[in-house]
Amino acid sequence: MTKSGTSESDKQVVLEPGERPTLKTIARLSGLAVPTVSRALSDAPDIGKDTKERVREIAKQIGYRPNRAGVRLRTGRTNVISVVMSTEHDAMNNTGQLIAAITSALRGTPYHVIITPYFADEDPMVPIRYIVETGSADGLILNQTEPDDPRVRYLMEHKFPFVAHGRTELAEPHAYFDYDNTAFGSLAVDALVARGRSRIAILAPPQTQMYAIHMVAGARAAAEAHGVTVSVLEGATSHSSVADVEAAMRAVYGKADRPDGLIAPSIGGCVTMVSTFEQMGLVLERDFDMAAKEALSFLRRFRPGILVLEENADEAGGYLARAVMDRISHPETSPMQKLVYPDANAWKVAPEHAAPRAKTQN
């Protein structure tokens, strides 16, 4: 007999020579019936917590992995959740951290994550239709939502479990997690005005997407309230290449109304905007100021004077994972929805850079 480990009661958990870990193995070692073991591993509500923990501990010790083909044959499920992501994001955004948070939240559940990419020149409906038509996942997570998002409408029409990282303007409610980008845009303008800035430019996401619409609307409303100007940087978005953002920044450098306040919704965009102006001879905190948001603690290390709000990718990923599991298990209940508001007092900046300053004439 081959020893595989010990249980919480210090009894040996063992396999017969050549035995492959199955539900029957766990049933034999736990003294439970096979259906009970199966339901415990599926987190069935009628199975007690202690029983679930006991079964999962044995499964972990003997290296049990469910046979996906068998699971699908018995239950019609794949135990797969697909995260559908565009490939156009730069390497320094929060995509990697978001995926890590989703997979971490699914740890210990029957579900596994697959990443389904789509390219900028591809119809974003292609991967959605493929997943639904082939039944290759039990649910999916999508982002970059649009006001009248055809992916969301399609998924709701087909009653396929999903959650969106972002809202839409569709009448029928759907599961989502969103960061309040309207508030971010407004707070960014407030912070720049407090530093004496009056000509503000925002590197916006593509204007077809909901979070871009929200961000620009918030910035413009705050600018009107303060009596300052805000414009969307032309020729580039927060999804553009470094070269395109640099070109857009160089184009506004020579204008008489050159921006003295900048807003970026991502690390990569912020770094490119600041470094381009610096290459042109401008000095951060003297000639211009920068407000941005990030999911990684990086920007203060790049330039301590940048005003930074945090967007918590761990919170987003964890909620998205729980929400899609909820849609799979409870399709008849109201979808989970959460909107996170940035803290107006949470601008991260080194203390010596925190005090408001009078505007320097350029």
Side-chain angles (χ1 to χ4, degrees):
M1 302 177 76
T2 304
K3 183 168 74 173
S4 298
T6 57
S7 68
E8 292 181 348
S9 59
D10 294 330
K11 293 182 180 180
Q12 289 185 331
V13 174
V14 293
L15 299 176
E16 300 292 345
E19 183 180 6
R20 184 175 66 86
T22 65
L23 291 177
K24 289 183 179 179
T25 310
I26 301 174
R28 174 174 64 81
L29 295 171
S30 65
L32 299 170
V34 170
T36 302
V37 170
S38 177
R39 293 181 62 76
L41 290 173
S42 299
D43 201 27
D46 60 331
I47 303 297
K49 179 180 177 181
D50 291 344
T51 300
K52 290 178 183 177
E53 291 178 353
R54 177 184 172 195
V55 168
R56 288 171 182 167
E57 179 65 21
I58 294 173
K60 177 181 177 181
Q61 291 178 24
I62 67 175
Y64 169 76
R65 294 290 184 272
N67 182 289
R68 290 190 183 180
V71 170
R72 187 166 185 173
L73 187 63
R74 291 193 309 272
T75 67
R77 290 187 176 179
T78 63
N79 284 351
V80 169
I81 290 173
S82 178
V83 180
V84 183
M85 292 282 184
S86 168
T87 61
E88 67 180 342
H89 288 290
D90 64 78
M92 296 187 71
N93 70 7
N94 65 0
T95 300
Q97 192 170 355
L98 183 68
I99 292 172
I102 291 170
T103 55
S104 178
L106 294 174
R107 186 177 181 181
T109 75
Y111 294 102
H112 301 267
V113 171
I114 61 171
I115 308 301
T116 305
Y118 66 93
F119 299 91
D121 60 352
E122 182 181 13
D123 180 358
M125 283 298 301
V126 170
I128 304 297
R129 288 195 187 98
Y130 175 83
I131 292 168
V132 174
E133 291 173 3
T134 63
S136 54
D138 296 332
L140 62 82
I141 298 170
L142 58 87
N143 67 350
Q144 297 185 6
T145 54
E146 299 179 358
D148 182 19
D149 199 302
R151 301 169 301 169
V152 173
R153 283 193 285 104
Y154 176 85
L155 291 166
M156 289 195 293
E157 288 169 2
H158 287 77
K159 301 187 185 302
F160 192 87
F162 78 97
V163 59
H165 190 195
R167 289 166 288 167
T168 67
E169 292 181 349
L170 295 170
E172 185 176 352
H174 62 82
Y176 69 76
F177 178 95
D178 202 5
Y179 178 91
D180 192 337
N181 283 286
T182 303
F184 167 72
S186 177
L187 292 173
V189 169
D190 291 345
L192 291 170
V193 169
R195 287 194 167 187
R197 305 307 178 183
S198 61
R199 302 184 304 277
I200 299 167
I202 179 171
L203 178 67
Q207 289 295 289
T208 57
Q209 297 179 14
M210 280 300 302
Y211 79 114
I213 296 170
H214 290 152
M215 192 179 301
V216 172
R220 284 177 170 160
E224 183 178 358
H226 287 292
V228 302
T229 63
V230 64
S231 60
V232 175
L233 190 68
E234 296 181 357
T237 74
S238 60
H239 294 182
S240 297
S241 67
V242 170
D244 286 344
V245 176
E246 285 181 343
M249 291 297 293
R250 290 179 183 276
V252 299
Y253 169 79
K255 292 185 176 181
D257 58 348
R258 182 181 67 212
D260 58 8
L262 305 174
I263 301 173
S266 66
I267 292 176
C270 174
V271 170
T272 304
M273 294 175 83
V274 171
S275 63
T276 302
F277 261 12
E278 289 179 340
Q279 291 168 22
M280 306 300 288
L282 303 184
V283 177
L284 180 68
E285 298 185 90
R286 186 192 72 190
D287 302 311
F288 70 99
D289 276 292
M290 180 88 228
K293 66 185 174 86
E294 65 180 356
L296 302 171
S297 296
F298 172 81
L299 291 175
R300 280 186 59 187
R301 293 174 173 84
F302 170 65
R303 295 289 185 273
I306 296 174
L307 290 157
V308 183
L309 281 179
E310 179 184 8
E311 182 173 5
N312 192 326
D314 290 337
E315 180 184 9
Y319 191 91
L320 291 168
R322 293 191 298 274
V324 73
M325 286 191 291
D326 177 74
R327 299 314 297 153
I328 294 169
S329 301
H330 308 291
E332 73 288 348
T333 62
S334 298
M336 292 174 59
Q337 298 177 335
K338 186 170 185 178
L339 179 63
V340 174
Y341 297 87
D343 184 353
N345 299 312
W347 289 104
K348 295 192 297 184
V349 63
E352 63 271 22
H353 299 264
R357 301 182 304 281
K359 183 177 74 171
T360 300
Q361 295 296 325
N362 296 330

